[in-house]
Amino acid sequence: MVCCEIWLVVLTVLALFPAPCRSELGKHQVVMISGQQAPGVADGVTFRSVSQQEILAPLLNNQGDLFFLTWLEGPGVDTTNDWANYFYDGDSLRLVAREGETAAGQPRGVRYESLYFGHRNLSEQGAVAFGADLTGGDVTGASDFALFESQAGTTTTAARLGSPITFPNVGERTLTGPISNVTYDSNGFLHYSSRVNDVSGNESTQAFFRVRSGRSTPLFGQTSAYPDPLQFVTQVSLEENGGSSAAVTRLLPLGNRRVDSQIIDFRGGSATPIVNEGDLPPGYPEFTEFGNPNITTPFMNVARNAEGKTVFTSWLYNGIFAGNGLRRSVWAYDPSLDEPLREVIAATQTLAARPDFRVSDIYSDGSVQPLQINDLGDVAFYANLSSIAAPGENHMALMVERDGVLDWIYRDGEQVPGLPAGTTFYRNPTFTSESGIQMNRVGQIAFSASYRNPDGSFGGGVFLAEREGGVIPLVLRGDQVEVEPNDVREIQGMAFASDASPGGGLASGFNDNGDLAVLVRFTDDTTAILLVDAIPEPTTMSLLGFALMAPIPRRRVGVYRY
């Protein structure tokens, strides 16, 4: 009873005195910081500062493992050996691969020439995948790239260009690349897509493979399950049991001018088209179709959850549409329903939950995955909105469909929760990409956003949106971080790995436990990787003033140890 009365007093005082702008980062751990001795290399070789870009942000799984690519400096370090991959198991850092080193599983003399950003991935079991250019030994222009996998300190070759692969119904083919769609299923099996040639080199198509014990098995693309030649496999999203949804483009007979693209559902050893380019979208008038003859592929993004539900973005075409006859839309596919395909939203539609706003465009990009679906069926994406009440007023918003209701998490111009009155979200693409969004399986969303302070200055950070609707700041520009006792540094910028659909086979920087792995740059140009608890503790001066009266913990900064 006394405790309840104390809390009542605290809440009353908090209501009377607005919280000042916070200054300390919440509960966190410093995993790595520039200037630190790098493990597995010569004494004096240290981690070097890197730019706070998403391609360099650490990957995180539900066990708390991290995987990241970083820069080295110090004695003996030059442009041939200054990049390295590191793995963190929750206790210590381990070197996985370094440029200039002997390439694992390759003939004598073959070395890693350069490590790639885009082929990194991390499984739930702690396996990591990475791509590398090769040099030396038997390397030629047709065999100078390989995909590697490492677990428990052992690294093997998963696939190398120029290697033969046997297809069940067409015989031996040669892996020609480029390798893409590097994904893991929940059982820890690695997958990738690549172009292949026949033995004579006269034909080139794409396929999607699963790696087991170092061997690549084709799942679709000139297999008995999917015999049609594929020109492109643009995106693949995996579900728990290894089933997948993919956007593919098929080769058509010579003389057919139309490119035939489709979304396929692969499960149980067979592939079924979800939708084809040229199909009539459900609910639209005659002569409306998915795609347009002038667009290479109408399908930009594909995401899938553990139940096999799939979402994707697509262009629609009909000459009656305003402008050039094109309209962008988001679609959901649920194989358990009698009518499995439904439209989530399309450009020019009014939001049912916000009747004063109309969607003017949907943000999508083939190079990122700003469209996501989790196991609860929540769908998240970015959209541009126009105000019906105030023509000419436009906004960018993070949209989420939950339990059939589509609404925004935030839009530019709104008050930023947890910051002083008058601090509003601001659309500033120079700070972070609009696609900085990561949803987890329990419905939490971490997103990056910029904001304008009441004095006109700008800030930015990473925020957490709870499924129940609350939004709180996680990491902000200007946060103070005690990296070791009596060494406090101020955050200038940050990035976290995002845009991976939960359960879709791609690792991100935000896990199902609400932990965030973020790369930060401090105002002194040093950088660090932080593991942040997404459940912040209160930090306001009002709470601190009542520290002796109520059991309210102050948000403590982590201490840097290595």
Side-chain angles (χ1 to χ4, degrees), residues 390-413:
E393 180 182 316
N394 297 294
H395 299 276
M396 184 273 291
L398 170 56
M399 309 299 299
V400 177
E401 183 190 60
R402 289 172 172 152
D403 302 321
V405 177
L406 181 64
D407 200 357
W408 64 64
I409 295 295
Y410 84 96
R411 67 166 175 81
D412 58 86

Side-chain angles (χ1 to χ4, degrees), residues 87-381:
F87 177 80
Y88 176 72
D89 63 3
D91 293 316
S92 60
L93 287 166
R94 182 180 76 240
L95 176 67
V96 175
R98 180 183 178 185
E99 292 178 349
E101 286 186 337
T102 298
Q106 291 301 305
R108 183 176 180 179
V110 177
R111 305 185 308 278
Y112 301 120
E113 183 177 31
S114 59
L115 301 175
Y116 269 63
F117 304 102
H119 296 80
R120 294 180 302 132
N121 208 349
L122 170 66
S123 78
E124 285 302 309
Q125 292 76 17
V128 298
F130 62 95
D133 280 330
L134 304 177
T135 187
D138 66 347
V139 175
T140 68
S143 62
D144 59 356
F145 182 86
L147 179 65
F148 297 89
E149 187 172 25
S150 181
Q151 187 168 28
T154 300
T155 302
T156 58
T157 302
R160 180 179 171 183
L161 301 190
S163 300
I165 294 180
T166 300
F167 283 74
N169 59 331
V170 295
E172 189 174 272
R173 295 293 173 111
T174 301
L175 202 66
T176 62
I179 289 176
S180 59
N181 293 307
V182 178
T183 51
Y184 276 104
D185 64 22
S186 62
N187 297 316
F189 290 116
L190 181 64
H191 299 69
Y192 69 94
S193 62
S194 178
R195 189 170 293 277
V196 294
N197 282 348
D198 61 16
V199 176
S200 66
N202 294 326
E203 186 180 356
S204 180
T205 65
Q206 278 212 338
F208 187 62
F209 302 91
R210 175 188 290 130
V211 179
R212 287 185 176 179
S213 302
R215 297 185 58 184
S216 297
T217 301
L219 295 185
F220 56 80
Q222 295 216 335
T223 69
S224 57
Y226 199 83
D228 294 331
L230 302 179
Q231 186 177 13
F232 299 110
V233 180
T234 55
Q235 284 188 346
V236 179
S237 186
L238 294 176
E239 68 177 51
E240 290 288 316
N241 62 5
S244 59
S245 298
V248 302
T249 299
R250 293 191 292 124
L251 295 173
L252 295 182
L254 187 66
N256 190 323
R257 297 176 57 192
R258 190 181 187 95
V259 177
D260 191 0
S261 300
Q262 58 188 182
I263 305 288
I264 63 170
D265 178 5
F266 181 85
R267 64 176 69 205
S270 62
T272 303
I274 292 175
V275 61
N276 297 287
E277 182 178 4
D279 285 353
L280 175 66
Y284 277 83
E286 191 177 4
F287 305 119
T288 306
E289 61 184 55
F290 285 101
N292 180 282
N294 297 322
I295 297 176
T296 301
T297 174
F299 309 117
M300 283 74 70
N301 301 113
V302 173
R304 181 182 179 113
N305 69 8
E307 297 179 353
K309 297 178 182 178
T310 301
V311 291
F312 60 92
T313 53
S314 176
W315 286 103
L316 305 179
Y317 176 76
N318 190 310
I320 65 173
F321 293 161
N324 58 6
L326 290 171
R327 177 178 297 173
R328 193 151 19 203
S329 59
V330 177
W331 293 82
Y333 169 81
D334 186 345
S336 67
L337 301 178
D338 293 335
E339 297 181 1
L341 196 61
R342 70 174 178 87
E343 186 177 50
V344 176
I345 194 70
T348 75
Q349 283 187 315
T350 300
L351 295 174
R354 307 274 188 169
D356 288 340
F357 288 88
R358 177 181 293 115
V359 174
S360 57
D361 200 4
I362 295 160
Y363 182 78
S364 62
D365 187 338
S367 63
V368 295
Q369 186 86 350
L371 175 68
Q372 297 182 29
I373 183 170
N374 66 9
D375 292 355
L376 300 173
D378 302 337
V379 179
F381 58 94

